[in-house]
Amino acid sequence: MTEPVQLPEGFATLEPFVARWSLRTSAERDRARGDSTEEEREAFYAAAQPLLEAALSYLDGFPARQLGEKEQRLMDLVLSLAHVSLAVEVQKEMEEQHARQRNDMPITRSVTDPA
Amino acid sequence: MNIDVASYQPPADQTAWLGTDPIPAKAYYDPDYYELERQAIFMRTWLTIGHVCELLEPGSFIRRDLEFAKASILIVRGKDGVIRGFHNACTHRGTQLEGRGEGKANAFICPYHRWNFGLDGALRSAPDFERFYTTKENCALKPVSVDVCGGMIFVNLDPEPAQSLHEFLGEYIVERLETIPAAKATDFCEYTYEIDANWKLTYDNFQESYHLKFIHPRTGAASYTPENPFGYPENYGFHGVHRSQQFWPNYNPDVTTPVQQTVFPMLAGYATEKGLMPDPTNREYYAVFPGFFIFGSPTQHFSHVVYPISATRSRGVIRLYWVGDWETASDRFAREYCLAIAREVHVEDVNVIKAGQRGLNSGALEHIHFQALEGLCRHLYLVSNGIVEAYKAEQEAAGEAQ
Ligand code: FES
Ligand SMILES: [Fe+2]
């Protein structure tokens, strides 16, 4: 049985990450980073980072506020990489400690959230 | 860029005029001292509270609660386009008019007995008003002084401020606030915190570089090099009660990660496209007394306000102001990344500030110490304490005159 295709062509390797990481708001993406395990973050980063530039230049070809469903999913997925990359590239083994502290500073508004 | 990084000289001599005395620790925990600061400073100084981009249309309003004054303030753009401030308190029996933090209104209608106030604060109508023993003119909403500089909205809880906002800020800060990209901002990201720490202790953390290497070993890595291992700034400036510093750019950062490498050119593109480059405020940080600072850079920008709640509790609001909406997926991603990375660094500061407060609370330490490159912290204490001392003298003189 094949799963329905959720992302635009060329991004099939990111399909397994849609459920966990394709999220609508910055606060949700931050929370997903905090709720995830190191393995989940690393697997997502390993799959998504090499496709980041390709995904953005693909999405740049559409009117940014009227994306199709698949494009929207890809956009929301890629936005999670902004958060997860900080865990994987910057914090590394300090991520657990950092995650606890992040709760003290909630995101209350984001320009990238849907209007 | 062809810059000789080895020529970096810490600007220690620029803070020499501030003196070298140890600083009384009491100023950072004592409730009596805080009460003096509250009266002398916060109840009668211009305080940043928002941005004009929050009040785009007539009828747009924001509500801001200032815990130190137990006050709730409405700031509203009138039908005439003028921005006004009012206490969020019905003049009948005090009921708060607005529970929303922001929104649009044609009038403020009290939920209790339906007194109806115009956006200019006037009492327009009140049921059965003939039975009252007063006039509508006497029942206008209590005004709060409001003014704007560089898009930033300031309020002053003194009904008759001793200085206008522009007099208070002074020419230099006015000119800079009007120049930085935030002056043209149309939207912003925001994150906030409440912390068990004195407002100066909290604010000071963000105006010294001494801690960077220890508290931000990863997130600040690009700023530490053999020439300037602590990432100290290049210059300090003192402008009356306000301050500025110029960050050292580290022209040769060797720590950039793959995602950063994708984002930084996008930000440079944004800054160029929006006409924000070249920017004279690129590496400048402006510290506006008492609790506001803003970093001028068009690409790694943020502003931060610390409001006191009590002697040992504060609230911080950090915003990233953007000029124009994002127009592409890349632009949107870059803005998400900026929000995430700015917060990434600030989050790391919270625990160590709280630990500082816990250490001070017992009163075991009589003094704390600031080094030459913590001169901005020393300046904040000296300025605040000067205002507190002047206030005490004023109160004593008033007492004797009676
Ligand atoms: S308290 Fe507002 S109308 Fe009575
Ligand atoms: Fe810090």
PDB file of all heavy atoms in Angstrom, chain B residues 205 211-212 216 349, ligand 2:
ATOM      1  N   ASN B 205      22.875  42.394  32.279  1.00  0.00           N
ATOM      2  CA  ASN B 205      23.372  41.207  31.581  1.00  0.00           C
ATOM      3  C   ASN B 205      23.496  41.474  30.081  1.00  0.00           C
ATOM      4  O   ASN B 205      24.376  40.946  29.424  1.00  0.00           O
ATOM      5  CB  ASN B 205      22.424  40.036  31.826  1.00  0.00           C
ATOM      6  CG  ASN B 205      22.823  38.825  30.994  1.00  0.00           C
ATOM      7  OD1 ASN B 205      23.743  38.098  31.343  1.00  0.00           O
ATOM      8  ND2 ASN B 205      22.149  38.634  29.854  1.00  0.00           N
ATOM      9  N   HIS B 211      30.360  38.264  29.826  1.00  0.00           N
ATOM     10  CA  HIS B 211      29.792  36.938  30.066  1.00  0.00           C
ATOM     11  C   HIS B 211      29.665  36.088  28.804  1.00  0.00           C
ATOM     12  O   HIS B 211      29.421  34.884  28.887  1.00  0.00           O
ATOM     13  CB  HIS B 211      28.399  37.069  30.701  1.00  0.00           C
ATOM     14  CG  HIS B 211      27.306  37.458  29.728  1.00  0.00           C
ATOM     15  ND1 HIS B 211      27.092  38.734  29.288  1.00  0.00           N
ATOM     16  CD2 HIS B 211      26.366  36.707  29.083  1.00  0.00           C
ATOM     17  CE1 HIS B 211      26.073  38.769  28.445  1.00  0.00           C
ATOM     18  NE2 HIS B 211      25.616  37.550  28.284  1.00  0.00           N
ATOM     19  N   LEU B 212      29.814  36.710  27.646  1.00  0.00           N
ATOM     20  CA  LEU B 212      29.418  36.029  26.397  1.00  0.00           C
ATOM     21  C   LEU B 212      30.073  34.666  26.237  1.00  0.00           C
ATOM     22  O   LEU B 212      29.423  33.658  25.967  1.00  0.00           O
ATOM     23  CB  LEU B 212      29.758  36.896  25.182  1.00  0.00           C
ATOM     24  CG  LEU B 212      29.075  38.266  25.092  1.00  0.00           C
ATOM     25  CD1 LEU B 212      29.503  38.986  23.819  1.00  0.00           C
ATOM     26  CD2 LEU B 212      27.559  38.132  25.148  1.00  0.00           C
ATOM     27  N   HIS B 216      27.466  31.880  26.460  1.00  0.00           N
ATOM     28  CA  HIS B 216      27.093  31.592  25.069  1.00  0.00           C
ATOM     29  C   HIS B 216      28.265  30.940  24.325  1.00  0.00           C
ATOM     30  O   HIS B 216      28.687  31.445  23.278  1.00  0.00           O
ATOM     31  CB  HIS B 216      26.689  32.879  24.350  1.00  0.00           C
ATOM     32  CG  HIS B 216      25.710  33.717  25.120  1.00  0.00           C
ATOM     33  ND1 HIS B 216      24.426  33.283  25.395  1.00  0.00           N
ATOM     34  CD2 HIS B 216      25.813  34.946  25.676  1.00  0.00           C
ATOM     35  CE1 HIS B 216      23.796  34.235  26.099  1.00  0.00           C
ATOM     36  NE2 HIS B 216      24.620  35.245  26.272  1.00  0.00           N
ATOM     37  N   ASP B 349      20.633  33.304  28.815  1.00  0.00           N
ATOM     38  CA  ASP B 349      20.949  34.274  29.858  1.00  0.00           C
ATOM     39  C   ASP B 349      20.082  34.137  31.103  1.00  0.00           C
ATOM     40  O   ASP B 349      20.485  34.553  32.186  1.00  0.00           O
ATOM     41  CB  ASP B 349      20.778  35.699  29.305  1.00  0.00           C
ATOM     42  CG  ASP B 349      21.833  36.042  28.272  1.00  0.00           C
ATOM     43  OD1 ASP B 349      23.033  35.930  28.598  1.00  0.00           O
ATOM     44  OD2 ASP B 349      21.465  36.401  27.136  1.00  0.00           O
TER      45      ASP B 349
HETATM   46 FE    FE C   2      23.954  36.979  27.129  1.00  0.00          FE
END
